[in-house]
Structures are given as C-alpha cells and as structure tokens.
C-alpha cells in the first residue's frame, strides 16, 4: 500500500509539472521519484528508466544508483546487444550469469568499477511500439533471483502508462502537431538541467514551425550549429535540405557567386552553370554562419533576396523565386557592428525577426554532467572500450572550470582525457580493450586547479613560450613560421579570440587566415 501511495504522489507531481505551460525546473527529479517509488525497494544496486528517441536510441530520464552523467548518454540498440535483447523480449528478460553480452552499466555503479553480475529488463510498449526500457542491475550474482516478477511487470506497466501520458500531454502542448508528420509528433522528453537552456529550447519549439528569420547569437563553441539543426528538424522544412555557409571562410571576391550562383560565361572561368547556396537550400533552411563578416558591399544584395524572396545568379537575365528560411549565426554583437557602420541596420532588422541567444557553458554548469555523459559515450564507441567513467574527483574538476571554449572545449578535454586514461592501461589485445572499463581521473583532464587563465586564447598543440622564443638555430622557414604564430596569437588575444576580427586587423582574407592557422598548428585540422 505504501508503494502505491508513493507512486500516486510521484505521478501526480509529474503530471502537474508536465501540464505547466513552462515547467520551471528539470523533470529529472520527478521521473526519479516515480522510478524510486516503484522499484526502490527491490534488491538491486542500480536501475534506469529509458525512453526511445529517434534512430533506435535510448535515453535515461531517471537513474538510481548511477552517476548523473548517465542521463546525458544515448544508448543505441545496435551498439548495446543486451539492451537490444530486452527491447525484443516479451515480459521480464533475464540474462544467465555467464552471458557474454556486455552490460552497458559495467563499471558505472560503484567506485570499484565492478562488473554487473545480475541483470534484467522489461520493454515498455504502447501497443506494439517500443517506447522505453526498465532495467535493474545487481553486482552480486543471484540478488535478483527471488524478485517478484508479477509485481515487477505491474510496475513496468505503470511506468509505460506514465510514458504514454507524458507523450500525450507534451503533444497536446506542442505547436508542431500540424507541421510535422506522425512520427515526429512523438515529442522527445529530452531536457536540460539549466533553466537557461530550457528557456532557449522552448523558444526553439515556438519559432521552428514558422518561416520567421532567426538571428542566433552566442560565443564560440556554445553549440549554435546544434540549435540550428534543432530549428530545422522541428520545422515543416525538415524533409528539405539544411545548407550551411561560413561567410568568413569564403574570399570576398567569391562570396556573391557562392551565395547566389552564376551562369556559364558570366565571367572568365565560368565554363558551366553553378548553383549557389540559396538555390541549394530551396525548400529548406540556409544557415549563414558568421554573418557579421559578410562584406558591406554584399549586404544590400542579401537584403533584397530576403525582402523579395528571389535571387538572380551572376550572368542571368532572370530572377528565380525561392522558398528558403534563413538562420543567421554570429558570435558578435551585431548592434555594435551596426553602430560602428560595419553592418547595415535594415539588414540587421530583417535577419533578427526572432533573435535567440545561446548561453555560455559557464552560465549553466548544471548541464556539464549531461554533456559529459554524451561525450563519454561518444568516446567509448570511438575507443572501443566497455565503458568510460569519471572518478570521484574528475566531475568536481569539470564543474570548477569556467570553460572559456564552452561546449567544444569540454568535448575536446574529455576526448584527450579518455585517450590518456586508455594509454595508461596498455591493452595487450583488441579483445582486452573491448572489455576494459576506463576511469578518467582529474589529472587526465589537465585543467588548471584555480579557475581559468587571466587572459589569452587556448591554442591547439602550441605552447606560447615556444612560440615567443624562437631558437637561435632555427632556419629561415622555421623562424618565419614562429613569427607568424606570434603575430597571429597576439592579434587574436587583442581581438578577444575573434578570428574574423583578427583577419581584418592583419589585413588578410579570413579564409586564408584560417588555412594559415591550421598549417601553423594554431587551429585543429578539419
């Protein structure tokens, strides 16, 4: 009776939150309370409630006995055979103690990185459609033997009912129902821990089904491209193309022909017709990255295209009407650019019909564990190991750091840390590597202990001291490259890490600067 009372209380709280127009806090606590009410009394060391997302991926919405970063992971059925077996099974799916199928939570339950020795799961369905999984894991063999299967099936049925109710409540609130097909009406239960990101995604849901132009702002590395993809995916244009253009990477002399195209004979070397990016994006979305770097001379032509909805390729006598939704992206404050006379005010207003701002990672540290889980799972697959986890000191170290490079920096820090941790283990064979649980320590992260540096821009693969002090025995080429590195770094510092502004200060084409920086090791190779 107590279990049912706790369950009903947790269910009422969850449904009340789902019915809110703008839920204020993360729903993770509500889902966890629901899971705990139903299975918290079972003799297991860990349990998860996972929901099905696109591409046969499972995402935990509630975890018991596992680190919070697990909620940031995505478990593809094709990469986790034990979960695939559960998903295809009717009723309670148990595994023999000597099964060779790896458990997705091996090494994650305790600090000793123990292997899971007893595991079972139940597929949650809406009719024949898989909507989620319930899993229970125990470290000791036989702990789950005496488990009441009828009672567990009843609990699983209640959880499946909760998932169905959550889907339907979310679908009722969604403004996308008429714009998207039936498959995409299944609203994802994905959420962020931080209020700032939840507000952003609510705005994305609001504007995505419209044809409004969107101006997306945010610091370098915050994940603006992912937000653009979310806008496109949630729009009525999701079946059309998403075309991405970096305005700073195209030489000024070519940008007009790249955007609008040209006809054969339009200029010397135009031996055939060429479709521009606007034409490629017809029926879809065009992302104009680093829009603040668009030459002032070309801005009136872009304004005309946005106003008239048609383009006229170079060398053509006729305009062509297009159906393109433009999302402009920038890491600069365009109002400052307008005030400085570097960006047209009328174009700014045309682009910023619906402005969105992606918050930097330092303003949403609550999201670091979720993002870390996502990147750890990516690196687990890339390195071919059984699991990757953060030890007790690594996660606090991630939370202390201010992330001047934002999400991209976190991704790279974890990728390097995972490689260092694996290198210490020195597996003797690929089979041994596939069975390893790799622990990432704080020293693997190589983050300064006392916060971010007081100034400067992080540089990939180059020590600043070695740049500033060229060895006397260097040849002319080495000395020239050392001088180039030093000059670029000094200018980059002065421009606050803005590569486009650095190109202007150095009187270089932005695309040429990017290529030179990669050759000198100042930027990662593509």
């Amino acid at each position: 009776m107590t279990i049912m009372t706790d369950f009903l209380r947790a269910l009422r709280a969850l449904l009340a939150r789902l019915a809110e127009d703008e839920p204020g806090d993360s729903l993770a606590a509500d889902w966890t309370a629901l899971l705990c009410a139903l299975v918290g009394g079972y003799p297991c060391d860990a349990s998860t409630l996972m929901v099905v997302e696109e591409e046969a991926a499972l995402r935990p919405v509630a975890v018991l006995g596992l680190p919070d970063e697990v909620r940031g992971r995505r478990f593809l059925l094709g990469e986790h055979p034990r979960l695939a077996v559960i998903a295809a099974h009717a009723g309670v799916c148990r595994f023999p103690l000597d099964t060779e199928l790896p458990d997705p939570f091996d090494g994650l339950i305790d600090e000793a990185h123990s292997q899971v020795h007893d595991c079972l799961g139940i597929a949650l369905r809406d009719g024949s459609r898989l909507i989620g999984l319930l899993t229970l894991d125990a470290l000791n063999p036989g702990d789950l033997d005496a488990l009441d299967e009828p009672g567990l099936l009843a609990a699983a049925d209640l959880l499946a009912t909760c998932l169905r109710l959550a889907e339907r409540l979310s679908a009722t609130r969604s403004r996308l129902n008429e714009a998207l097909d039936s498959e995409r009406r299944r609203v994802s239960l994905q959420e962020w821990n931080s209020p700032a990101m939840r507000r952003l995604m609510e705005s994305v849901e609001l504007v995505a089904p419209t044809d409004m132009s969107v101006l997306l702002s945010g610091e370098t590395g915050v994940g603006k491209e992912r937000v653009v993809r979310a806008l496109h995916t949630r729009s009525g244009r999701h079946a059309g193309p998403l075309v991405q253009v970096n305005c700073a990477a195209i030489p000024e002399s070519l940008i007009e022909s790249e955007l609008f195209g040209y006809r054969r004979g339009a200029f010397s070397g135009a031996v055939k017709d060429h479709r521009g990016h606007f034409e490629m994006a017809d029926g879809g979305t065009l992302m104009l990255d680093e829009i603040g770097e668009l030459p002032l001379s070309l801005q009136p032509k872009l304004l005309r295209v946005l106003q008239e909805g048609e383009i006229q390729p170079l060398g053509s006598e006729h305009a062509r009407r297009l159906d393109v939704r433009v999302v402009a992206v920038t890491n600069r404050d365009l109002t400052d650019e307008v005030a400085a006379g570097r960006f047209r005010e009328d174009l700014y207003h045309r682009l910023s019909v619906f402005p969105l701002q992606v918050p930097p990672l330092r303003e949403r540290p609550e999201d670091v564990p979720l993002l870390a889980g996502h990147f750890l799972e990516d690196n687990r697959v890339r390195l071919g190991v059984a699991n990757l986890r953060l030890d007790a000191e690594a996660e606090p170290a991630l939370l202390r750091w201010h992330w001047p490079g934002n999400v991209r920096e976190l991704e790279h820090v974890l990728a390097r840390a995972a490689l260092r941790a694996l290198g210490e283990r020195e597996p003797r064979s690929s089979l041994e590597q596939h069975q390893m649980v790799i622990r990432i320590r704080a020293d693997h992260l190589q983050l300064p202990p006392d916060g971010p540096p007081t100034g400067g821009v992080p540089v990939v693969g180059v020590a600043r001291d070695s740049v500033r002090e060229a060895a006397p025995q260097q040849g002319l080429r080495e000395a020239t490259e050392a001088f180039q590195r030093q000059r670029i770094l000094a200018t980059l510092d002065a421009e606050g890490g803005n590569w486009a502004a650095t190109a202007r200060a150095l009187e270089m084409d932005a695309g040429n600067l990017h290529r030179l920086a990669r050759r000198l090791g100042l930027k990662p190779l593509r």
Side-chain angles (χ1 to χ4, degrees):
M1 189 65 180
T2 303
I3 293 177
M4 187 54 64
T5 301
D6 291 343
F7 167 75
L8 290 175
R9 185 184 299 114
L11 177 60
R12 281 195 296 269
L14 175 64
L15 295 180
R17 295 288 314 289
L18 287 168
E20 292 176 9
D21 288 337
E22 295 184 2
D25 301 315
S26 170
L27 293 172
D30 300 278
W31 282 111
T32 301
L34 199 66
L35 180 63
C36 186
L38 287 177
V39 305
Y42 286 113
C44 61
D45 294 293
S47 179
T48 68
L49 171 62
M50 295 193 275
V51 298
V52 174
E53 295 187 332
E54 294 176 9
E55 299 178 355
L58 292 160
R59 182 177 60 83
V61 293
V63 297
L64 299 174
L66 291 164
D68 189 53
E69 54 91 354
V70 171
R71 290 196 304 111
R73 301 193 182 206
R74 300 296 179 271
F75 297 89
L76 297 176
L77 290 178
E79 296 175 358
H80 293 280
R82 196 177 293 214
L83 296 180
V85 170
I86 297 173
H89 191 83
V92 177
C93 180
R94 292 180 178 269
F95 294 89
L97 298 181
D98 60 352
T99 180
E100 295 183 357
L101 297 179
D103 191 285
F105 306 119
D106 276 341
L108 298 180
I109 295 178
D110 62 2
E111 283 300 318
H113 315 301
S114 304
Q115 304 291 304
V116 172
H117 290 292
D118 207 349
C119 168
L120 60 81
I122 302 176
L124 309 179
R125 302 186 186 278
D126 181 9
S128 62
R129 178 171 68 93
L130 180 70
I131 58 174
L133 289 187
L134 170 65
T135 67
L136 280 76
D137 290 289
L139 296 177
N140 298 318
D143 276 1
L144 303 179
D145 285 353
L147 189 141
D148 175 22
E149 288 198 6
L152 183 60
L153 285 170
D157 285 341
L158 288 172
L159 287 173
T161 300
C162 294
L163 291 181
R164 290 194 294 270
L165 286 171
E167 279 189 342
R168 286 161 190 170
L169 275 173
S170 297
T172 300
R173 291 177 52 224
S174 175
R175 300 170 184 260
L176 305 179
N177 286 351
E178 298 303 321
L180 304 182
D181 57 35
S182 59
E183 180 69 17
R184 289 189 175 274
R185 284 196 193 106
R186 282 193 242 146
V187 177
S188 170
L189 298 174
Q190 181 176 1
E191 59 179 84
W192 293 90
N193 284 339
S194 68
M197 281 303 294
R198 289 199 300 275
R199 287 192 297 269
L200 173 63
M201 296 314 295
E202 287 165 4
S203 296
V204 168
E205 297 282 356
L206 179 65
V207 73
T210 74
D211 284 330
M212 289 182 178
S213 296
V214 174
L215 178 61
L216 186 64
S217 305
E219 296 178 6
T220 298
V222 293
K224 296 187 289 295
E225 182 180 334
R226 291 175 184 261
V227 177
V228 174
R229 291 189 177 279
L231 282 165
H232 178 71
T233 300
R234 289 161 170 77
S235 75
R237 302 170 176 271
H238 64 269
L242 171 59
V243 177
Q244 302 176 49
V245 184
N246 188 326
C247 298
I250 305 175
E252 184 173 350
S253 59
L254 298 179
I255 193 165
E256 181 176 3
S257 60
E258 288 297 309
L259 287 179
F260 308 128
Y262 56 82
R263 296 293 175 258
R264 186 177 63 178
F267 50 82
S268 177
V271 297
K272 61 180 181 179
D273 291 351
H274 172 75
R275 289 198 310 158
H277 290 106
F278 266 91
E279 191 172 350
M280 295 178 193
D282 193 17
T285 304
L286 178 63
M287 169 185 167
L288 295 178
D289 197 8
E290 296 196 57
I291 187 65
E293 312 311 318
L294 191 71
L296 197 59
S297 61
L298 195 60
Q299 292 178 20
K301 297 179 181 179
L302 177 59
L303 177 64
R304 177 185 169 279
V305 170
L306 296 176
Q307 289 174 333
E308 305 298 332
E310 58 184 28
I311 62 168
Q312 186 166 350
L314 292 174
S316 175
E317 298 179 354
H318 306 287
R320 178 181 174 185
R321 193 153 196 84
L322 297 175
D323 176 25
V324 177
R325 199 255 189 94
V326 172
V327 179
V329 178
T330 182
N331 58 9
R332 303 166 67 178
D333 187 339
L334 287 190
T335 57
D336 290 345
E337 298 301 299
V338 170
R342 292 189 292 265
F343 203 85
R344 291 178 62 104
E345 184 175 7
D346 48 3
L347 178 58
Y348 167 74
H349 290 299
R350 177 65 66 172
L351 291 170
S352 61
V353 177
F354 200 100
L356 293 173
Q357 179 81 27
V358 184
L361 190 55
R362 64 180 174 276
E363 294 180 4
R364 48 187 181 103
E366 312 97 312
D367 293 329
V368 169
L370 290 180
L371 291 165
H374 172 76
F375 295 135
L376 287 173
E377 181 65 13
D378 283 350
N379 283 284
R380 182 198 68 79
V381 174
R382 180 175 60 84
L383 297 177
V385 297
N387 235 322
L388 277 171
R389 67 165 293 168
L390 301 171
D391 76 358
E393 296 180 358
E395 184 169 326
L398 292 177
L399 293 174
R400 285 194 301 268
W401 184 238
H402 290 197
W403 302 110
N406 291 293
V407 177
R408 186 179 300 140
E409 182 186 4
L410 173 62
E411 179 181 9
H412 294 167
V413 164
L414 288 174
R416 293 192 294 267
L419 194 59
R420 293 185 189 108
L422 176 62
E424 288 183 355
R425 298 288 297 274
E426 298 182 352
R428 290 168 293 184
S429 67
S430 59
L431 177 60
E432 181 180 347
Q433 182 166 327
H434 290 325
Q435 296 172 341
M436 280 183 172
V437 175
I438 303 297
R439 181 181 67 170
I440 295 177
R441 303 189 306 270
D443 60 291
H444 291 141
L445 301 172
Q446 294 190 358
L447 293 174
D450 299 320
T454 56
V457 179
V459 178
V460 177
V462 179
R464 287 180 177 272
D465 291 341
S466 66
V467 170
R468 293 186 174 125
E469 298 178 8
Q473 66 269 27
Q474 283 181 325
L476 178 61
R477 177 178 176 180
E478 290 80 6
T480 301
E481 290 182 348
F483 172 78
Q484 289 175 320
R485 290 190 187 95
Q486 180 181 355
R487 182 65 183 275
I488 291 172
L489 286 174
T491 309
L492 191 62
D493 279 350
E495 298 296 339
N498 188 309
W499 283 95
T502 300
R504 285 197 302 272
L506 294 173
E507 298 182 354
M508 290 183 65
D509 174 79
N512 291 338
L513 176 60
H514 284 293
R515 285 186 286 273
L516 177 61
R518 291 189 186 93
R519 183 169 63 80
L520 296 174
L522 302 180
K523 294 189 72 176
L525 295 175
R526 288 179 175 173

